[in-house]
Amino acid sequence: MRIGLLTDGGYPYATGESRLWCDRLVRGLAQHEFDLFALSRTAEQEARGWVQLPLQVSRVRTAPLWIADEDALGLHAPRGLLSRLLSGGGAHSYGRRERRRFTTHFTALATAVCAAGRTGGERGDGTEAAGQGERGGGGRTAAEDTRFTEGLYGLAELACEHGGLPAALRSETAVRILEAACRAPGTGRTVQAATVPDLLAFAAELDRVLRPLSLDWYDEESLGAVDLCHAASGGAAALPGLLAKRFFGVPLLVTEHSVQLRSHYLAAAGTPLSAPVRALLANFHGRLAAEVYRQAALITPGNTHARRWQERCGAEPAKVRTVYPGMESGRFAALGENEGDGGPDTLVWVGRIEPAKDLVALLHAFAEVRRAEPDARLRIIGAAAQGPEGAGYLAHCRALAAQLFPDEAADAHAVGDNPVSFEDIGGAEVPDLAQAYAAGGIVVLSSVVEGFPISLVEAMFCGRATVSTDVGAVVEVIGGTGLVVPPRNPRALADACLALLRDPERRARLGAAARARALELFTVEQNLAAFRGIYLELIARAPVRRDTATVNADGGPRPFATPPEAHVLGLWPEPDEIFAPEPAERTPSWAGHGVCAGARGAGDGDA
């Protein structure tokens, strides 16, 4: 079958979220043909290019979410002219009828978004709580849901027919509509406090999120030609899938390893946006998530923690099926089958160094461990997260380690040594990831925020005993094969580490059980088997969409309309070309198609 894979900031680009998972999915399901529809987030991401695509990728369509307004619209006018596009001239200006349509649909969407703040408590970061209220999931009413969807799809139809939506969303008309909706009686206090600069900032963010509505992907040759849309995340990536279902009846499958709405909540406090803007964005993302879950034929979270968030945001439990993300286990096989347990007195932490990992608590916990076990060592292996925050946090952790553990020496003539080391993967002592886990007998995870703990699964593949904090999907992943303690509790973390340091037999039992669990649940093979069955199930349930070329005048099937060769991956002639009489000197229709479209370079555009 033909799958439309929808991504946001990931595959086929060389960097980004879910890149490895998407690549494994496409390569592992080689019996299907994939069309990629990818949204890029930054200029740097596009500059790094694509990964090498397999032959079953027949076409790639890309669109940026990051470019400036004038570039996105094909305009080079001064910014002040954008506010007059609805009423002035220009290639993207609307006529009276289009202006009236935009006003109607955007008013419906804005009213629903602002009304989302009327119930439920407000969060400390200025966003509205997504809890259950007397108005249903997320504090919504059916009337507000209807207004939101009418506004969303109305804007999509306007964009498909006339274009110009990005300019309209940033126009003075749009800002006035938002202001009226925010000032309506009964809206939340935070939303009511929005100023004109806040509304301008929200309109700019809304334009970026709704950019997929203005793409040229919605025709019979693009998304209308696929059998199934598979969104690799919610949010903007799922928008093309919503429109494909609405315009062409294509079923939508949504996979979320981390729920987009939860990610928005976690990232909101770290942005320079004001509280009213964050509240409006949270309301919009909550509405969008509910509509995506409502229209999806099936939702596949990567863990139960994500599933709880999805159901809290309105997903029907009957449509939600947990499928764990598959991970490569082969590179850890030699270490996992080895009976050795690394350094018996060494604790290992592996990951990306950033504040969410709470290495400060780990260092304080290790201070307690050292007081009880003077020979214990701690190896922190990984690089700092990109940006100044990651580098600053690494410097802070190094300074704290130097303060808590001054260099120790055996005598007055020996060189001092620190029991805590910070190392990068790829050096002489830790040449690869497997050697990082081989460096110690116990792997520690001290995070205060975590989605699906990848480093924990890798440690389980290696047969290592683990001590982890109870965050995200940790308990679900561990399943009784490791010790779990509350987050931000150095004393509890130290006690758990000491319990395993002093009991090598228990370490061995837990490590063996962890490896068996990981091989059963978290391999690439089980993930591919799950989606292989899901694809067939959804296609079997979807109504038949017949091509006019394959039916006769009575509407019945046209015999031999599509030859068997057409099901082989590659470019083949249309049925009309097959049955048409061929001129004497005509070149065969298959000549020149020896290379599949998926093998073309990244610079070929709509490859």
Side-chain angles (χ1 to χ4, degrees), residues 291-330:
E291 176 63 11
V292 169
Y293 298 152
R294 184 162 45 246
Q295 297 299 331
L298 192 67
I299 306 163
T300 54
N303 52 75
T304 304
H305 179 67
R307 176 176 185 147
R308 287 196 297 267
W309 265 87
Q310 290 170 337
E311 293 179 356
R312 188 181 184 186
C313 296
E316 297 179 18
K319 292 166 57 174
V320 183
R321 186 181 307 174
T322 302
V323 179
Y324 295 118
M327 297 175 58
E328 293 286 353
S329 61

Side-chain angles (χ1 to χ4, degrees), residues 107 125 195 211 291 301 310 398 445 485 578 595:
T107 299
D125 59 3
T195 63
R211 191 68 57 82
E291 176 63 11
Q310 290 170 337
R398 287 181 180 273
L445 184 143
V485 301
I578 297 174
V595 180

Side-chain angles (χ1 to χ4, degrees), residues 153-321:
Y153 294 126
L155 292 175
E157 292 168 358
L158 180 63
C160 289
E161 295 171 12
H162 302 284
L165 185 60
L169 290 173
R170 293 172 179 256
S171 68
E172 182 179 351
T173 300
V175 174
R176 288 179 175 176
I177 292 172
L178 287 173
E179 185 176 24
C182 289
R183 303 292 185 265
T187 54
R189 296 186 306 274
T190 306
V191 170
Q192 283 188 342
T195 63
V196 172
D198 293 332
L199 299 177
L200 289 171
F202 174 63
E205 291 293 322
L206 198 60
D207 167 38
R208 187 188 64 82
V209 177
L210 293 181
R211 191 68 57 82
L213 301 185
S214 301
L215 301 177
D216 59 349
W217 295 353
Y218 313 110
D219 55 47
E220 293 289 350
E221 301 300 322
S222 297
L223 282 171
V226 304
D227 300 307
L228 172 68
C229 279
H230 186 174
S233 65
L239 272 174
L242 287 179
L243 299 190
K245 179 177 181 182
R246 183 173 181 86
F247 296 154
F248 309 108
V250 179
L252 173 62
L253 169 65
V254 178
T255 295
E256 286 188 307
H257 296 137
S258 62
V259 178
Q260 289 292 307
L261 184 59
R262 175 178 180 268
S263 300
H264 173 80
Y265 283 147
L266 293 175
T271 65
L273 300 175
S274 65
V277 177
R278 296 200 304 268
L280 289 169
L281 284 173
N283 296 343
F284 172 80
H285 284 291
R287 294 280 182 193
L288 180 59
E291 176 63 11
V292 169
Y293 298 152
R294 184 162 45 246
Q295 297 299 331
L298 192 67
I299 306 163
T300 54
N303 52 75
T304 304
H305 179 67
R307 176 176 185 147
R308 287 196 297 267
W309 265 87
Q310 290 170 337
E311 293 179 356
R312 188 181 184 186
C313 296
E316 297 179 18
K319 292 166 57 174
V320 183
R321 186 181 307 174

